[in-house]
Amino acid sequence: MCGIIACVGRPDETVDVLLSGLSSLEYRGYDSAGIAVANGALDIRKREGELDNLRAEIEDRPLTGSFGIGHTRWSTHGPPSDENAHPHTDAAGRVAVVHNGIIENYQALRDELEADGCEFVSDTDTEVVPHLMASYLDDGYDASESFRKAVSRLTGSYALAAIVAGEEAIFATRQDSPLVLGVGDDSYFLGSDVPAFLKFTRDVVYLENGQSVTLRPDGWEVTASDGSALDPTIHTVEWDAEQTGKSGYDHFMLKEIHEQPTALRQCLSGRLDPLAGEVVVEELSNLEPPERVQFVACGTSYHAALYGAHRFREAGVPAQAFLASEYSTAVPPIEDDELVIGVTQSGETADTLSALRAAQGHGAETLAVTNVVGSSAARECDHVMFIRSGPEIGVAATKTFSSQLVSLSLLVESLAPGTGTRTRALVESLRDLAGNVQSVLDDALPSVEELVDELADSEAYFFIGRGYNAPVALEGALKFKEITYEHAEGFPAGELKHGPLALITEDTPVFAVVTGDSVPAQKTLGNIKEVQARGAPVVAVTDGVLEVERFSDMVLEVPETEGPLGSLLANVQLQLVAYEMADYLDRPIDKPRNLAKSVTVE
Ligand code: F6R
């Protein structure tokens, strides 16, 4: 996820402050970095790759300025490169802009600007902003008005900071992407997150959506979207330096669990048409609807693939999910109009890449569903759809699983659109999804903590669910075992009596995922009774529709929502269960033993 830093009021050390801010934002993940400073005219340095590349460039070609802006880029539009790195400028270099987020209407704006003779030098959505500002400057507006007018043309999510040659000011705003103002004694800062400037000040203003801020050497002003001045609350940050990269959370995993509402908004941004009740995934516009689908994936991504395959089958398209590590051992027959989809957060998992290559070798058309722009899967597949979660640092995948489920839901609706009603219902619930996830995150902790206290000494833990909830049961168990080191297994609920039931005792809690009132959900009630009859404590993870709490010892509640999305909400509860249990057992949550974030060997 991109990071922004800006500073005014430290003229002798602007470049050092910007570089130190970028270094504090490295934890967000990035693939290029840059700064722009002002000394009357603007001066810019930017480089693809590590921050050290930018430092080397600055050592070769030093620059100074009395204030400036900086950026770490995590690619969304266009691969990592010097040209695509921020800051971006207009042709004359009068305006420099850094941006975090996605400008959804950038193509229309770019077409309009190009028709007026603007020449673009990058693939980014961001570059429309300096060109727009420059066009307003040309029309005679001052710098502040030009910024406001340019921003009013944008739709999407953005945190933006801009500087203009000859103007001693930094202009910034935010909409659905974070931006924090740091208020020092004689210097002022902006950051995507507090760590960017924490060593200079602990006094911060958390900017709200639609608010703008102007920083000048003699002060700062926050304004509402109508331009009226505001008097925002200044908070004093109490964290210690160790915690800062985690925004105050004890672990990256917990931070990433809590980032899910933002990640999901980002994933859905520009991909829903609520008026038409349709899904629009631009990246998939060149892909013909397939006759059959095969998924290849590993671990958590495999669970997402199981969910995707289930949804394709429901939409009438034959689909199957394969473990990537097994796929190449006997590649299934690939017919005409068959699409092979690799689901991979990192885009670098060796087993998944090898399965995709095997499929290509057999003539398949391939699609990567991945989080990482420029990854091997993104580059090697015929098509790519990005899940737009932002970087995930905790080894245990959390927010990316949720974004995978949503991306695959969008994929199915794009390639096998339902009747108006099915797609419309999904579009409506997708609009509520981030809010529903937020409400689980807000309310879950007391029940989860009580459960952890009660069940921490158990012998083993089982997770069951049917239909959409079968992959969630598998994922709940995987998350639990990988970070608690306790024995945990997940099963499609109907499989219990075909063997695993032999393991059930009063010392083996069973987490039963039951959402909605479908036939699979009703059948899971029977499986709950089977384990209860053998003395196992039952934890229902449920929206309450089937009153499953009447047959359960403990309940983790989720809001009621459209069928397939209830599973995603239930999974958030199971992420919290795994996290809290691992924390209780004092495990190294972000780096579980023997595991790596990206598994690049077969
Ligand atoms: C578990 C986990 C792994 C990954 C698997 C595939 O929390 O993260 O099971 O899901 O290694 O990784 P990607 O999705 O990068 O291909």
Side-chain angles (χ1 to χ4, degrees):
M1 216 176 273
C2 306
I4 288 177
I5 172 76
C7 160
V8 64
R10 289 181 173 255
D12 299 334
E13 47 174 354
T14 303
V15 171
D16 290 343
V17 173
L18 295 177
L19 286 174
S20 119
L22 294 182
S23 156
S24 310
L25 292 169
E26 276 185 291
Y27 74 89
R28 295 166 71 87
Y30 69 105
D31 45 45
S32 45
I35 61 171
V37 295
N39 237 340
L42 307 185
D43 207 356
I44 293 173
R45 303 285 182 274
K46 52 186 194 172
R47 288 298 292 272
E48 181 193 340
E50 303 270 306
L51 207 45
D52 276 346
N53 297 355
L54 176 65
R55 287 198 187 95
E57 167 80 0
I58 291 172
E59 227 163 81
D60 281 354
R61 295 198 302 133
L63 73 174
T64 54
S66 51
F67 59 96
I69 55 181
H71 190 263
T72 45
R73 173 172 189 253
W74 194 78
S75 308
T76 58
H77 294 63
S81 67
D82 290 351
E83 292 73 29
N84 287 335
H86 299 213
H88 289 285
T89 64
D90 63 313
R94 277 178 303 171
V95 179
V97 172
V98 291
H99 164 223
N100 173 10
I102 293 176
I103 295 168
E104 286 166 15
N105 59 337
Y106 87 98
Q107 191 60 56
L109 293 171
R110 184 169 172 148
D111 292 347
E112 173 190 317
L113 288 157
E114 280 178 334
D116 283 349
C118 276
E119 278 185 21
F120 280 72
V121 295
S122 79
D123 308 315
T124 65
D125 50 344
T126 307
E127 200 187 335
V128 295
V129 183
H131 288 296
L132 270 180
M133 282 184 69
S135 75
Y136 290 119
L137 288 170
D138 287 343
D139 289 347
Y141 293 99
D142 69 19
S144 161
E145 282 170 308
S146 298
F147 181 69
R148 204 143 47 81
K149 287 187 86 61
V151 170
S152 72
R153 303 284 314 277
L154 310 177
T155 56
S157 60
Y158 46 81
L160 284 166
I163 55 178
V164 178
E167 189 75 21
E168 273 206 282
I170 299 173
F171 306 97
T173 190
R174 65 154 290 199
Q175 181 66 43
D176 291 336
S177 284
L179 195 62
V180 193
L181 163 68
V183 182
D185 286 339
D186 297 310
S187 48
Y188 313 106
F189 307 85
L190 293 168
S192 295
D193 202 352
V194 176
F197 52 70
L198 192 65
K199 66 175 172 186
F200 306 109
T201 180
R202 288 178 168 271
D203 292 336
V204 306
V205 175
Y206 295 99
L207 295 168
E208 306 280 347
N209 274 344
Q211 292 182 344
S212 296
V213 59
T214 306
L215 311 185
R216 297 185 191 275
D218 58 354
W220 53 274
E221 184 185 41
V222 174
T223 48
S225 48
D226 63 3
S228 58
L230 297 170
D231 184 16
T233 311
I234 299 181
H235 300 267
T236 301
V237 169
E238 306 291 352
W239 317 324
D240 58 44
E242 223 284 291
Q243 286 175 297
T244 54
K246 299 167 194 148
S247 303
Y249 290 101
D250 288 341
H251 298 97
F252 281 113
M253 180 180 175
L254 189 60
K255 173 171 177 276
E256 285 155 5
I257 289 174
H258 281 268
E259 275 173 357
Q260 287 177 112
T262 307
L264 291 171
R265 277 193 198 99
Q266 184 114 328
C267 176
L268 290 169
S269 177
R271 289 170 165 177
L272 298 182
D273 181 344
L275 282 181
E278 283 172 10
V279 160
V280 192
V281 182
E282 211 182 291
E283 298 112 292
L284 301 178
S285 52
N286 293 330
L287 187 55
E288 289 296 317
E291 293 289 328
R292 272 164 302 278
V293 172
Q294 296 176 5
F295 283 95
V296 291
C298 302
T300 293
S301 296
Y302 172 66
H303 300 149
L306 286 170
Y307 179 91
H310 184 107
R311 301 210 57 179
F312 263 118
R313 289 196 297 271
E314 276 185 332
V317 180
Q320 202 178 344
F322 293 89
L323 284 166
S325 53
E326 285 295 310
Y327 186 84
S328 344
T329 62
V331 176
I334 290 173
E335 300 182 36
D336 285 347
D337 301 323
E338 182 128 22
L339 179 66
V340 177
I341 305 176
V343 184
T344 166
Q345 184 284 127
S346 61
E348 300 296 348
T349 300
D351 287 318
T352 308
L353 291 175
S354 145
L356 285 166
R357 287 169 194 150
Q360 279 174 328
H362 283 69
E365 187 173 23
T366 52
L367 164 71
V369 177
T370 184
N371 196 28
V372 182
V373 175
S375 61
S376 303
R379 282 183 282 110
E380 290 182 24
C381 285
D382 303 310
H383 307 271
V384 59
M385 175 179 183
F386 294 109
I387 66 168
R388 304 178 182 166
S389 264
E392 190 171 65
I393 292 163
V395 165
T398 51
K399 63 174 180 172
T400 53
F401 179 67
S402 293
S403 300
Q404 285 171 339
L405 297 191
V406 167
S407 301
L408 293 176
S409 302
L410 296 174
L411 178 70
V412 173
E413 292 311 318
S414 301
L415 297 184
T419 60
T421 356
R422 188 190 84 197
T423 311
R424 186 171 285 279
L426 179 76
V427 168
E428 271 168 28
S429 344
L430 284 170
R431 289 177 72 198
D432 295 339
L433 183 63
N436 281 335
V437 171
Q438 189 62 56
S439 82
V440 173
L441 294 172
D442 292 344
D443 300 339
L445 203 55
S447 319
V448 172
E449 280 178 345
E450 196 185 317
L451 175 154
V452 165
D453 255 10
E454 183 84 12
L455 301 179
D457 288 330
S458 305
E459 204 173 280
Y461 301 80
F462 296 106
F463 295 74
I464 59 170
R466 282 177 186 248
Y468 307 124
N469 288 330
V472 168
L474 303 186
E475 175 60 11
L478 177 64
K479 214 79 326 173
F480 195 92
K481 74 179 87 165
E482 72 176 320
I483 60 167
T484 66
Y485 308 162
E486 297 294 308
H487 183 204
E489 298 298 337
F491 304 102
E495 275 301 292
L496 263 191
K497 54 187 169 306
H498 298 292
L501 202 55
L503 295 171
I504 299 292
T505 69
E506 36 190 56
D507 220 8
T508 59
V510 177
F511 290 82
V513 186
V514 187
T515 53
D517 61 355
S518 60
V519 173
Q522 290 173 25
K523 285 190 177 169
T524 312
L525 296 189
N527 305 121
I528 292 177
K529 289 191 181 134
E530 284 161 14
V531 298
Q532 225 170 19
R534 279 133 188 109
V538 172
V539 182
V541 189
T542 184
D543 53 12
V545 174
L546 283 180
E547 298 186 358
V548 64
E549 58 277 8
R550 291 173 50 208
F551 318 107
S552 313
D553 302 277
M554 283 168 243
V555 179
L556 299 174
E557 285 173 35
V558 298
E560 197 184 326
T561 182
E562 206 254 346
L565 298 180
S567 309
L568 189 158
L569 300 178
N571 185 64
V572 174
Q573 285 281 14
L574 295 181
Q575 293 170 345
L576 290 166
V577 168
Y579 175 83
E580 291 299 329
M581 184 66 86
D583 198 36
Y584 179 90
L585 297 171
D586 209 16
R587 305 297 191 221
I589 292 178
D590 282 332
K591 291 199 171 138
R593 74 180 171 213
N594 306 335
L595 300 181
K597 184 68 186 159
S598 186
V599 185
T600 51
V601 288
E602 283 186 58

